[in-house]
Amino acid sequence: MDFDGDGTLDLVSGSYDPGEIYLFRGEGKGRFKARETIKDKSGKPVLRVPDQKDRVESFGSWLALVDWDNDGDLDLLIGGFDGSMVVRLNEGTRTRPEFATDNVPVLIEKEPLKVPHGHANPVVVDWDGDGRWDIVSGSADGGVYWYRNVGPPGAPRFARAVTLVPPHVGNGYSEFLDADEEPKPGIRAQIAVTDYNGDGRLDILLGDFCSNVVARRDLTPDQRQELTALRQKMAETEVDLTREQERVEAQLKEAFKHFTRDDWAKEANQEKWRKKRQELYDGPEVKKVSQVYSGQTRQLRQYLQKPTQPAIGDDRATAHGYVWLYLRKDGQ
């Protein structure tokens, strides 16, 4: 991306922590200058929450550059860890950007756009070929979502999400694979949109994350039968565990529904939330189901391969980050 219109390609990037936006100015021939933080016209770093009280409020930012208001320069479209998107308008020029001191929220029918489960990483592209740029985004759940631009030039408006790639089924961690089973696309979808095979249609490249545990290849018929029975029990327990977790999260939300943004910025209130959460998860109902599931997980280990490079947190799991290609078909 040529950030400043000088004819040389630059690199721009968001960040997890502190969520600032960075520029690596191109020098040509594949060389780039040291990182600099993109700032607004008042000299403050561009953030998703400009007046944040705590640095975690802007945690996790992804961006795309687009002429949002059709005035001939490039503005910043910033996706967030929470799934929201905001725009920081360029009030300067194409070659001398000066960014506003506040954000414009991206809306769908007057409500804030929210990518399912968070990790909004927008790509600006005319997906449907109608002459208006759209937003396509990956997400934490592994899905890819298209937000069609239905507004006029300079005043983009967006339709509700259309799923282009379905979300991953599972939580993405230590998921079971049989010995001859191939991995599936995982969670945390990061995408690029391009005509990969030159057929005139836009395709999707998707980078993911997942960790898997894999069954041993030398299992006897009896062990195979035991494994099948155990996995059925674990599936039933997972349903119970999910139900209990949803109950706890609903109670937690209700207990703190009166908290304002300023309340959440106070460390004492964050600590109060952490203690309440721990108290609820330590309750007898959750603990009972969790102990059953932990026992089943320990029992499962005897049937699993031991990987050469274990994933963090599970020495029987292997983490992967594959890139998957989704070729577009007629009518999509």
Side-chain angles (χ1 to χ4, degrees):
M1 168 61 69
D2 184 357
F3 176 79
D4 51 9
D6 65 356
T8 302
L9 292 177
D10 310 297
L11 290 175
V12 288
S13 175
S15 64
Y16 266 107
D17 187 3
E20 294 177 348
I21 308 300
Y22 300 126
L23 168 65
F24 301 82
R25 293 188 187 274
E27 296 181 316
K29 298 182 179 179
R31 296 192 300 270
F32 297 88
K33 293 183 179 179
R35 184 190 78 190
E36 59 183 276
T37 301
I38 297 178
K39 298 180 179 180
D40 64 28
K41 62 183 183 181
S42 73
K44 295 181 180 179
V46 171
L47 293 168
R48 290 190 294 106
V49 183
D51 58 342
Q52 65 183 19
K53 304 295 191 299
D54 191 304
R55 64 186 289 157
V56 300
E57 293 182 70
S58 293
F59 179 86
S61 294
W62 294 262
L63 83 154
L65 280 80
V66 61
D67 187 0
W68 184 269
D69 50 3
N70 202 40
D71 64 353
D73 59 34
L74 293 179
D75 310 297
L76 300 175
L77 172 60
I78 307 171
F81 186 81
D82 64 351
S84 66
M85 293 189 197
V86 298
V87 178
R88 188 66 71 96
L89 292 173
N90 180 1
E91 297 178 347
T93 66
R94 177 69 179 88
T95 56
R96 296 180 65 85
E98 290 187 2
F99 295 101
T101 56
D102 211 344
N103 298 319
V104 177
V106 181
L107 305 177
I108 296 178
E109 299 176 2
K110 300 182 180 181
E111 295 293 328
L113 183 154
K114 284 276 189 176
V115 173
H117 298 97
H119 279 217
N121 50 98
V123 171
V124 172
V125 63
D126 184 3
W127 182 258
D128 58 353
D130 67 353
R132 290 175 290 199
W133 55 265
D134 309 305
I135 298 174
V136 179
S137 178
S139 68
D141 68 15
V144 179
Y145 302 95
W146 166 41
Y147 299 89
R148 185 182 181 219
N149 184 354
V150 295
R157 291 185 294 109
F158 299 94
R160 295 194 177 276
V162 173
T163 302
L164 301 180
V165 175
H168 176 78
V169 178
N171 66 13
Y173 295 91
S174 301
E175 294 186 352
F176 181 85
L177 284 180
D178 219 331
D180 297 317
E181 190 176 358
E182 291 293 328
K184 300 176 295 185
I187 59 174
R188 303 182 195 169
Q190 306 279 313
I191 65 166
V193 180
T194 185
D195 181 1
Y196 184 84
N197 57 355
D199 66 354
R201 291 174 290 194
L202 293 174
D203 309 302
I204 294 172
L205 290 165
L206 185 156
D208 75 344
F209 167 83
C210 196
S211 66
N212 297 110
V213 294
V214 182
R216 288 167 32 206
R217 293 181 177 276
D218 61 350
L219 295 177
T220 66
D222 285 346
Q223 288 174 322
R224 168 63 62 179
Q225 189 172 3
E226 293 166 2
L227 173 59
T228 300
L230 176 60
R231 290 193 61 217
Q232 178 60 43
K233 290 179 182 178
M234 292 183 72
E236 294 168 358
T237 307
E238 284 170 359
V239 172
D240 295 337
L241 190 58
T242 298
R243 184 183 62 249
E244 290 299 322
Q245 290 170 340
E246 289 175 347
R247 181 181 61 80
V248 165
E249 293 300 326
Q251 288 182 300
L252 199 60
K253 185 177 181 180
E254 177 66 21
F256 292 92
K257 66 180 181 181
H258 62 285
F259 270 30
T260 66
R261 181 179 151 198
D262 287 341
D263 291 330
W264 283 114
K266 298 175 182 177
E267 178 58 34
N269 286 334
Q270 293 177 26
E271 181 61 23
K272 186 183 294 185
W273 179 88
R274 286 191 288 268
K275 286 184 177 179
K276 183 62 175 178
R277 186 175 189 272
Q278 190 62 52
E279 174 190 323
L280 290 172
Y281 273 100
D282 284 343
E285 298 91 345
V286 181
K287 184 170 287 188
K288 179 180 179 181
V289 180
S290 296
Q291 287 175 343
V292 171
Y293 192 70
S294 295
Q296 291 170 339
T297 301
R298 289 192 296 271
Q299 188 178 352
L300 180 67
R301 291 171 61 85
Q302 64 184 305
Y303 304 106
L304 302 177
Q305 296 180 26
K306 190 169 184 179
T308 54
Q309 293 183 319
I312 296 173
D314 188 343
D315 65 0
R316 295 284 170 165
T318 300
H320 77 242
Y322 293 125
V323 177
W324 305 85
L325 170 63
Y326 291 85
L327 292 173
R328 195 166 182 175
K329 299 178 181 178
D330 290 333
Q332 289 187 325

